[in-house]
Amino acid sequence: METVEKKIGLSGVDVQTLLGSNDSNLLAVENKFDASIVARGDTIVVRGEPNEVNLIERIFRELITIVNKSSNLTSRDVETVIDAVGTGREVVFHEEDLDSVILYTKTGVIKARTPGQREYYKQARTNDVVFAIGPAGTGKTYLAVAMAVAALRNREISKVVLCRPAVEAGESLGFLPGDLREKIDPYLRPLYDALEEMLSSEKLKSNIEKNVIEIAPLAYMRGRTLNNAFVILDEAQNATAAQMKMFLTRLGLNSRAIVTGDITQIDLPSTTISGLVEVEKILKGIEGISFVAFGKQDVVRHRLVKDIIEAYGKHDTATRSQNGTHGNGNKQ
């Protein structure tokens, strides 16, 4: 196999920032390739197969640009650039934009695009439990899945668990056709859809088969302890108070959780309090737990979705005022 050597000059670059503490940034790049990378004074020497050497050179050129622009380079920045170059994508150099990048995929970059989404991503990076509450179309679930995939890719955790309550207005699992898997798949389909946009079909299938990624109804979480995991509870407005407590107490060592939901779309019986409505009153103010509220300004779907949400909001407010009800139909 042909081997080539290329030297990357570091004149005028803050070498310590570029290479990281104990050369951690250099090692992060080297671990992704078979080529050898050695720093000698103000030069990086890369030796290996031509294709890899060219990729590594581009990675370091991008990293040098970031260091020169922001005088800072985090391990997440390094992973972001490695992913970007590996998938043939353009790297975003503006510090604010780079800070909002969650995941690079073969089809494009997934990033926090609205103020609400950027706050969401910020809180998820600094808290172990985050509640994301707001209307449909704001990216709550999609970005949570992207964060979980990024954490898995960066080896921050070893398992991703995605779950939803299997609840729908006027329907129960027992009356649906098919076996258990066929009954629950429609409830979990949105989670599969998000994953299929972020991972190749082969990688997703392999991760599911190895139980690295698990997608299951909320009821399946009972009795478990999830260590070193990124856990997502979607459609949490349809979890009861007891189910919410059960889910939150599944977290083990080095685990993180994101809980998403829309309290205007509760499908529980009117006599049942939503666990998502109740939880903020109980847990707000606890260190390590954060609540992020999304509004219509964070909707990233079709332009009419914002107007639809606003119209329904006005209608619901008027109806509650007339009926003297609040939340999911319970008299106050």
Side-chain angles (χ1 to χ4, degrees):
M1 181 182 292
E2 182 186 2
T3 300
V4 299
E5 180 179 288
K6 188 164 287 190
K7 295 181 179 179
I8 304 169
L10 303 179
S11 178
V13 179
D14 183 339
V15 177
Q16 185 174 354
T17 298
L18 176 68
L19 300 182
S21 176
N22 297 319
D23 290 346
S24 58
N25 295 338
L26 184 149
L27 293 172
V29 177
E30 190 173 42
N31 287 338
K32 300 286 185 178
F33 300 93
D34 294 324
S36 72
I37 308 173
V38 179
R40 296 174 181 165
D42 61 354
T43 304
I44 291 176
V45 181
V46 184
R47 185 180 293 110
E49 185 269 327
N51 241 7
E52 281 203 347
V53 170
N54 288 334
L55 281 174
I56 292 168
E57 180 187 25
R58 186 180 167 206
I59 286 169
F60 275 104
R61 296 294 181 202
E62 308 285 17
L63 294 176
I64 289 168
T65 302
I66 294 170
V67 170
N68 287 340
K69 282 182 174 287
S70 66
S71 301
N72 187 43
L73 188 67
T74 68
S75 59
R76 191 172 61 82
D77 294 337
V78 176
E79 291 290 344
T80 296
V81 171
I82 292 171
D83 288 345
V85 173
T87 55
R89 296 286 159 186
E90 291 298 318
V91 180
V92 188
F93 290 122
H94 299 296
E95 189 176 0
E96 181 182 348
D97 287 341
L98 187 67
D99 198 48
S100 67
V101 171
I102 299 172
L103 184 70
Y104 277 95
T105 72
K106 289 184 177 179
T107 57
V109 64
I110 298 174
K111 60 183 289 188
R113 300 183 183 278
T114 70
Q117 289 184 350
R118 284 191 285 272
E119 179 64 18
Y120 180 29
Y121 187 33
K122 175 185 174 182
Q123 294 302 322
R125 296 201 307 268
T126 55
N127 292 278
D128 287 336
V129 179
V130 174
F131 291 86
I133 304 172
T138 51
K140 303 183 303 295
T141 301
Y142 188 75
L143 294 185
V145 175
M147 286 184 251
V149 171
L152 184 65
R153 182 180 290 181
N154 296 337
R155 297 185 176 89
E156 296 169 18
I157 44 91
S158 60
K159 184 180 181 65
V160 174
V161 180
L162 313 173
C163 61
R164 279 182 145 202
V167 175
E168 187 171 344
E171 223 173 52
S172 65
L173 289 176
F175 291 100
L176 294 176
D179 59 21
L180 181 61
R181 182 59 183 264
E182 291 170 328
K183 291 174 189 285
I184 64 177
D185 264 2
Y187 294 99
L188 306 177
R189 187 69 250 170
L191 300 175
Y192 284 104
D193 289 344
L195 285 167
E196 286 168 356
E197 288 191 35
M198 300 171 197
L199 297 168
S200 67
S201 56
E202 296 81 9
K203 187 70 173 176
L204 177 57
K205 182 180 178 183
S206 172
N207 281 336
I208 290 175
E209 287 175 349
K210 294 175 182 176
N211 217 30
V212 172
I213 295 178
E214 180 181 352
I215 309 173
L218 175 58
Y220 282 33
M221 297 299 105
R222 191 173 300 280
R224 302 178 61 182
T225 300
L226 299 169
N227 293 314
N228 201 35
F230 197 119
V231 193
I232 297 171
L233 172 57
D234 188 36
E235 297 290 341
Q237 74 275 3
N238 288 327
T240 65
Q243 287 175 326
M244 180 65 73
K245 180 181 177 182
M246 178 272 290
F247 170 80
L248 294 172
T249 54
R250 299 309 92 201
L251 290 183
L253 297 174
N254 190 42
S255 287
R256 298 149 62 186
I258 292 183
V259 178
T260 71
D262 178 1
I263 58 175
T264 69
Q265 296 190 29
I266 298 172
D267 295 324
L268 294 168
S270 60
T271 55
T272 304
I273 294 290
S274 164
L276 188 61
V277 171
E278 183 182 68
V279 74
E280 188 166 6
K281 303 171 189 174
I282 298 172
L283 301 183
K284 195 163 187 177
I286 295 179
E287 186 176 354
I289 297 177
S290 177
F291 289 82
V292 179
F294 288 86
K296 64 177 183 178
Q297 70 276 6
D298 296 306
V299 172
V300 291
R301 291 183 184 170
H302 191 286
R303 62 177 181 81
L304 286 175
V305 173
K306 292 182 182 179
D307 296 334
I308 292 169
I309 289 169
E310 186 173 9
Y312 269 95
K314 289 178 180 177
H315 173 76
D316 291 343
T317 299
T319 302
R320 285 197 298 269
S321 178
Q322 291 171 5
N323 296 338
T325 59
H326 179 72
N328 52 328
N330 292 317
K331 292 275 185 180
Q332 298 299 302

XYZ file of all heavy atoms in Angstrom, residues 202-270:
533
model
N -27.743 0.350 7.824
C -26.928 -0.746 8.351
C -26.501 -0.466 9.793
O -26.570 -1.347 10.648
C -25.682 -0.954 7.483
C -25.952 -1.392 6.059
C -26.330 -0.230 5.146
O -26.212 0.949 5.582
O -26.765 -0.495 4.006
N -26.068 0.782 10.037
C -25.620 1.141 11.378
C -26.780 1.104 12.368
O -26.631 0.625 13.502
C -25.002 2.545 11.348
C -24.348 2.976 12.649
C -23.078 2.202 12.905
C -22.327 2.742 14.101
N -21.127 1.929 14.426
N -27.938 1.616 11.954
C -29.100 1.619 12.834
C -29.524 0.192 13.160
O -29.775 -0.144 14.326
C -30.252 2.381 12.183
C -31.566 2.413 12.959
C -31.364 2.999 14.350
C -32.613 3.214 12.195
N -29.589 -0.647 12.138
C -29.983 -2.043 12.351
C -29.013 -2.740 13.293
O -29.424 -3.450 14.224
C -30.029 -2.779 11.012
C -30.467 -4.232 11.128
C -30.503 -4.910 9.760
C -30.896 -6.382 9.888
N -30.874 -7.066 8.576
N -27.717 -2.513 13.089
C -26.695 -3.134 13.934
C -26.819 -2.669 15.378
O -26.761 -3.480 16.318
C -25.305 -2.796 13.390
O -24.296 -3.217 14.280
N -27.025 -1.365 15.571
C -27.136 -0.826 16.931
C -28.369 -1.341 17.658
O -28.339 -1.579 18.866
C -27.155 0.701 16.902
C -25.772 1.305 16.718
O -24.771 0.673 17.040
N -25.707 2.504 16.191
N -29.467 -1.499 16.915
C -30.688 -2.032 17.525
C -30.511 -3.505 17.880
O -30.905 -3.956 18.957
C -31.901 -1.819 16.595
C -32.237 -0.316 16.530
C -33.113 -2.614 17.090
C -33.341 0.028 15.560
N -29.888 -4.267 16.966
C -29.668 -5.687 17.211
C -28.749 -5.923 18.407
O -28.927 -6.862 19.176
C -29.075 -6.353 15.964
C -30.077 -6.522 14.828
C -29.440 -7.078 13.566
O -28.188 -7.136 13.503
O -30.185 -7.443 12.643
N -27.761 -5.030 18.578
C -26.826 -5.147 19.697
C -27.365 -4.508 20.971
O -26.689 -4.492 21.997
C -25.485 -4.493 19.329
C -24.743 -5.197 18.211
C -23.490 -4.412 17.825
C -22.753 -5.066 16.680
N -21.584 -4.269 16.220
N -28.566 -3.939 20.878
C -29.205 -3.274 22.015
C -28.453 -2.019 22.450
O -28.611 -1.554 23.579
C -29.349 -4.226 23.201
C -30.659 -4.003 23.947
O -31.652 -3.601 23.344
N -30.660 -4.259 25.237
N -27.663 -1.453 21.548
C -27.004 -0.177 21.817
C -28.037 0.937 21.725
O -27.984 1.921 22.462
C -25.849 0.067 20.814
C -25.278 1.469 20.959
C -24.756 -0.977 21.025
N -28.980 0.782 20.791
C -30.128 1.678 20.694
C -31.383 0.857 20.961
O -31.610 -0.165 20.318
C -30.220 2.348 19.305
C -29.026 3.273 19.081
C -31.525 3.134 19.171
C -28.997 3.937 17.714
N -32.167 1.316 21.919
C -33.395 0.601 22.294
C -34.584 1.552 22.167
O -34.533 2.677 22.658
C -33.281 0.086 23.727
C -34.499 -0.674 24.198
C -34.362 -1.145 25.645
O -33.264 -0.997 26.218
O -35.356 -1.638 26.198
N -35.611 1.093 21.496
C -36.832 1.883 21.338
C -37.976 1.058 21.900
O -38.242 -0.058 21.426
C -37.090 2.229 19.852
C -35.830 2.841 19.227
C -38.269 3.171 19.708
C -35.922 3.050 17.737
N -38.652 1.586 22.912
C -39.649 0.764 23.602
C -40.728 1.629 24.233
O -40.526 2.820 24.487
C -38.966 -0.068 24.687
N -41.896 1.033 24.515
C -42.945 1.758 25.245
C -42.469 2.097 26.650
O -41.633 1.393 27.230
C -44.105 0.757 25.295
C -43.811 -0.247 24.232
C -42.327 -0.327 24.134
N -43.003 3.142 27.217
C -42.624 3.594 28.553
C -42.789 2.491 29.595
O -41.966 2.352 30.506
C -43.453 4.819 28.943
C -43.276 5.366 30.356
C -41.829 5.748 30.624
C -44.195 6.570 30.576
N -43.834 1.693 29.460
C -44.110 0.641 30.439
C -42.946 -0.344 30.566
O -42.760 -0.965 31.618
C -45.384 -0.114 30.064
N -42.127 -0.479 29.511
C -41.011 -1.419 29.529
C -39.844 -0.936 30.388
O -38.888 -1.677 30.614
C -40.498 -1.662 28.101
C -41.341 -2.602 27.283
C -42.725 -2.662 27.442
C -40.768 -3.430 26.335
C -43.506 -3.514 26.691
C -41.527 -4.292 25.563
C -42.903 -4.335 25.751
O -43.670 -5.184 24.993
N -39.906 0.300 30.855
C -38.821 0.847 31.668
C -38.922 0.430 33.138
O -37.967 0.551 33.894
C -38.824 2.381 31.601
C -38.569 2.964 30.224
S -36.948 2.508 29.543
C -37.454 1.269 28.328
N -40.066 -0.048 33.546
C -40.300 -0.373 34.958
C -39.300 -1.424 35.460
O -39.029 -2.415 34.795
C -41.727 -0.893 35.144
C -42.154 -1.011 36.600
C -43.631 -1.369 36.715
N -44.468 -0.362 36.090
C -44.811 0.792 36.645
N -44.346 1.086 37.853
N -45.584 1.641 36.013
N -38.725 -1.160 36.639
C -37.836 -2.128 37.268
C -36.405 -2.098 36.778
O -35.572 -2.875 37.242
N -36.085 -1.202 35.841
C -34.741 -1.176 35.273
C -33.884 -0.071 35.902
O -34.409 0.900 36.448
C -34.801 -0.961 33.762
C -35.606 -2.005 33.036
C -35.669 -1.714 31.556
N -34.349 -1.699 30.930
C -34.141 -1.429 29.646
N -35.160 -1.104 28.873
N -32.922 -1.453 29.146
N -32.568 -0.226 35.794
C -31.624 0.843 36.125
C -30.755 1.049 34.900
O -30.130 0.102 34.410
C -30.745 0.480 37.331
O -31.584 0.253 38.469
C -29.766 1.603 37.630
N -30.734 2.266 34.372
C -30.030 2.550 33.126
C -28.743 3.311 33.420
O -28.760 4.502 33.739
C -30.935 3.354 32.194
C -32.238 2.638 31.799
C -33.194 3.595 31.110
C -31.937 1.440 30.909
N -27.618 2.609 33.329
C -26.308 3.210 33.545
C -25.663 3.594 32.219
O -25.869 2.925 31.202
C -25.382 2.233 34.284
C -25.834 1.969 35.706
O -26.179 2.892 36.445
N -25.835 0.704 36.101
N -24.870 4.674 32.229
C -24.112 5.092 31.052
C -25.004 5.193 29.820
O -24.661 4.710 28.736
C -22.962 4.102 30.794
C -21.856 4.703 29.961
O -21.547 5.887 30.082
N -21.272 3.905 29.087
N -26.166 5.814 29.997
C -27.168 5.853 28.929
C -27.703 7.264 28.712
O -27.669 8.116 29.603
C -28.319 4.911 29.263
N -28.171 7.489 27.501
C -28.899 8.711 27.146
C -30.344 8.277 26.933
O -30.632 7.500 26.035
C -28.326 9.317 25.864
C -28.709 10.762 25.639
C -27.735 11.741 25.573
C -30.035 11.140 25.473
C -28.068 13.079 25.353
C -30.385 12.462 25.258
C -29.397 13.441 25.200
N -31.233 8.741 27.790
C -32.617 8.263 27.794
C -33.554 9.400 27.403
O -33.459 10.512 27.926
C -33.011 7.730 29.194
C -34.316 6.948 29.116
C -31.904 6.854 29.768
N -34.457 9.115 26.481
C -35.421 10.119 26.023
C -36.844 9.602 26.249
O -37.165 8.479 25.862
C -35.240 10.422 24.526
C -33.853 11.018 24.263
C -36.328 11.389 24.027
C -33.520 11.151 22.782
N -37.654 10.424 26.906
C -39.086 10.146 27.023
C -39.822 11.157 26.161
O -39.813 12.352 26.454
C -39.548 10.240 28.479
C -41.067 10.151 28.713
C -41.641 8.855 28.149
C -41.397 10.284 30.201
N -40.432 10.670 25.098
C -41.140 11.531 24.156
C -42.641 11.476 24.430
O -43.139 10.507 25.007
C -40.837 11.052 22.726
C -41.357 11.999 21.671
O -41.317 13.223 21.899
O -41.801 11.518 20.615
N -43.367 12.521 24.017
C -44.819 12.600 24.235
C -45.152 12.418 25.720
O -46.121 11.740 26.083
C -45.552 11.556 23.391
C -45.410 11.739 21.893
C -46.166 12.961 21.369
O -47.066 13.445 22.057
O -45.826 13.422 20.261
N -44.355 13.050 26.566
C -44.470 12.834 28.008
C -45.746 13.392 28.604
O -46.089 13.073 29.744
C -43.258 13.436 28.723
N -46.473 14.227 27.847
C -47.746 14.729 28.378
C -48.745 13.581 28.576
O -49.712 13.709 29.317
C -48.352 15.785 27.434
C -48.956 15.246 26.146
C -47.922 15.054 25.051
O -46.734 15.271 25.264
N -48.371 14.671 23.857
N -48.483 12.434 27.926
C -49.365 11.275 28.063
C -48.853 10.259 29.081
O -49.339 9.131 29.126
C -49.570 10.608 26.705
C -50.444 11.454 25.802
O -51.340 12.151 26.274
N -50.183 11.412 24.507
N -47.868 10.666 29.884
C -47.409 9.829 30.998
C -48.141 10.273 32.259
O -48.303 11.468 32.509
C -45.903 9.976 31.192
N -48.597 9.325 33.044
C -49.234 9.668 34.313
C -48.167 10.120 35.302
O -46.965 9.971 35.063
C -49.967 8.460 34.900
O -48.998 7.445 35.230
C -50.985 7.888 33.906
N -48.601 10.653 36.427
C -47.656 11.088 37.462
C -46.801 9.919 37.942
O -45.590 10.054 38.133
C -48.420 11.710 38.631
N -47.420 8.761 38.108
C -46.674 7.581 38.568
C -45.669 7.125 37.518
O -44.539 6.739 37.849
C -47.648 6.448 38.896
N -46.068 7.168 36.254
C -45.149 6.775 35.182
C -43.972 7.740 35.069
O -42.840 7.323 34.819
C -45.898 6.705 33.851
C -46.824 5.514 33.726
C -47.639 5.569 32.441
O -48.015 6.649 31.975
N -47.891 4.416 31.862
N -44.246 9.026 35.247
C -43.175 10.014 35.186
C -42.147 9.754 36.295
O -40.929 9.770 36.051
C -43.743 11.427 35.318
C -42.697 12.523 35.264
S -41.843 12.652 33.674
C -43.166 13.384 32.672
N -42.617 9.521 37.504
C -41.710 9.223 38.615
C -40.921 7.949 38.323
O -39.705 7.888 38.560
C -42.507 9.063 39.916
C -41.624 8.751 41.123
C -42.460 8.575 42.383
C -41.574 8.185 43.564
N -42.384 7.961 44.793
N -41.597 6.931 37.807
C -40.935 5.668 37.472
C -39.824 5.889 36.462
O -38.702 5.404 36.613
C -41.968 4.674 36.919
C -41.396 3.322 36.488
S -40.831 3.283 34.766
C -42.406 3.373 33.893
N -40.114 6.671 35.410
C -39.116 6.927 34.366
C -37.900 7.652 34.931
O -36.764 7.256 34.700
C -39.737 7.750 33.239
C -38.725 8.253 32.237
C -38.251 7.420 31.242
C -38.224 9.551 32.314
C -37.300 7.856 30.330
C -37.277 10.002 31.408
C -36.816 9.151 30.408
N -38.139 8.727 35.671
C -37.039 9.549 36.171
C -36.154 8.797 37.161
O -34.959 9.086 37.271
C -37.586 10.823 36.815
C -38.274 11.800 35.856
C -38.945 12.924 36.632
C -37.277 12.369 34.845
N -36.718 7.838 37.861
C -35.929 7.081 38.839
C -35.235 5.873 38.217
O -34.630 5.069 38.929
C -36.815 6.629 40.019
O -37.954 5.920 39.520
C -37.265 7.829 40.836
N -35.287 5.755 36.873
C -34.540 4.687 36.183
C -33.085 5.095 35.966
O -32.244 4.255 35.665
C -35.137 4.377 34.803
C -36.571 3.871 34.742
C -36.838 2.708 35.656
N -37.311 3.186 36.952
C -37.249 2.492 38.070
N -36.716 1.299 38.082
N -37.707 2.983 39.198
N -32.786 6.392 36.068
C -31.451 6.879 35.729
C -30.389 6.311 36.662
O -30.524 6.370 37.880
C -31.405 8.406 35.797
C -32.173 9.166 34.707
C -31.962 10.653 34.884
C -31.735 8.719 33.321
N -29.323 5.787 36.047
C -28.207 5.257 36.815
C -26.978 6.138 36.667
O -27.069 7.314 36.284
N -25.813 5.576 36.922
C -24.554 6.318 36.862
C -24.253 6.768 35.443
O -24.470 6.025 34.484
C -23.410 5.438 37.390
C -23.505 5.015 38.867
C -22.383 4.041 39.202
C -23.456 6.229 39.777
N -23.750 7.992 35.303
C -23.356 8.577 34.025
C -24.482 8.520 32.995
O -24.262 8.226 31.822
C -22.107 7.887 33.453
C -21.533 8.636 32.260
O -21.458 9.867 32.267
N -21.140 7.910 31.228
N -25.689 8.782 33.436
C -26.830 8.790 32.519
C -27.450 10.178 32.448
O -27.351 10.968 33.394
C -27.888 7.775 32.958
O -27.447 6.468 32.684
N -28.065 10.461 31.320
C -28.738 11.736 31.092
C -30.127 11.445 30.545
O -30.352 10.406 29.917
C -27.952 12.568 30.070
C -26.568 12.926 30.523
C -25.577 13.056 29.388
N -25.943 14.119 28.466
C -25.277 14.349 27.330
N -24.247 13.595 26.991
N -25.636 15.349 26.540
N -31.046 12.376 30.768
C -32.411 12.184 30.289
C -32.962 13.471 29.703
O -32.693 14.560 30.218
C -33.321 11.700 31.415
N -33.712 13.331 28.618
C -34.486 14.431 28.065
C -35.932 13.982 27.990
O -36.231 12.886 27.505
C -33.977 14.852 26.667
C -32.594 15.487 26.775
C -34.954 15.828 26.018
C -32.033 15.992 25.456
N -36.816 14.828 28.497
C -38.246 14.548 28.502
C -38.929 15.604 27.644
O -38.769 16.804 27.888
C -38.819 14.593 29.939
C -40.324 14.337 29.929
C -38.096 13.571 30.826
N -39.657 15.185 26.618
C -40.300 16.134 25.720
C -41.817 15.948 25.744
O -42.313 14.840 25.953
C -39.803 15.969 24.263
O -40.327 14.747 23.719
C -38.288 15.926 24.206
N -42.531 17.042 25.520
C -43.993 16.921 25.472
C -44.673 18.245 25.193
O -44.055 19.311 25.225
N -45.947 18.147 24.911
C -46.792 19.308 24.614
C -48.030 19.211 25.482
O -48.901 18.357 25.257
C -47.167 19.294 23.122
C -48.084 20.444 22.739
O -48.420 21.276 23.610
O -48.467 20.509 21.553
N -48.123 20.060 26.504
C -49.223 19.942 27.465
C -50.563 20.392 26.884
O -51.589 20.305 27.564
C -48.921 20.707 28.767
C -48.664 22.189 28.494
C -47.742 20.084 29.490
C -48.473 23.015 29.755
N -50.578 20.862 25.645
C -51.855 21.186 24.999
C -52.409 19.990 24.221
O -53.472 20.088 23.624
C -51.703 22.382 24.037
O -50.920 21.993 22.902
C -51.076 23.563 24.740
N -51.679 18.874 24.213
C -52.124 17.694 23.459
C -52.133 16.455 24.348
O -51.531 15.439 24.039
C -51.223 17.467 22.249
C -51.289 18.596 21.231
C -50.568 18.243 19.932
O -50.477 17.076 19.557
N -50.074 19.243 19.246
N -52.815 16.557 25.478
C -52.892 15.449 26.425
C -54.037 14.511 26.045
O -55.175 14.938 25.869
C -53.094 15.983 27.858
C -51.890 16.849 28.259
C -53.286 14.838 28.844
C -52.070 17.590 29.566
N -53.710 13.219 25.903
C -54.706 12.219 25.518
C -55.142 11.330 26.677
O -55.832 10.338 26.472
C -54.148 11.331 24.389
C -53.914 12.107 23.106
O -54.717 13.019 22.818
O -52.932 11.821 22.399
N -54.724 11.686 27.893
C -55.133 10.913 29.066
C -56.595 11.193 29.397
O -57.129 12.240 29.017
C -54.260 11.287 30.262
C -52.776 10.919 30.177
C -52.005 11.616 31.293
C -52.596 9.410 30.260
N -57.254 10.283 30.124
C -58.624 10.561 30.569
C -58.666 11.853 31.381
O -57.693 12.211 32.056
C -58.963 9.349 31.454
C -58.054 8.263 30.978
C -56.787 8.944 30.547
N -59.763 12.570 31.326
C -59.875 13.878 31.974
C -59.678 13.812 33.486
O -59.341 14.820 34.116
C -61.233 14.506 31.662
O -62.286 13.677 32.137
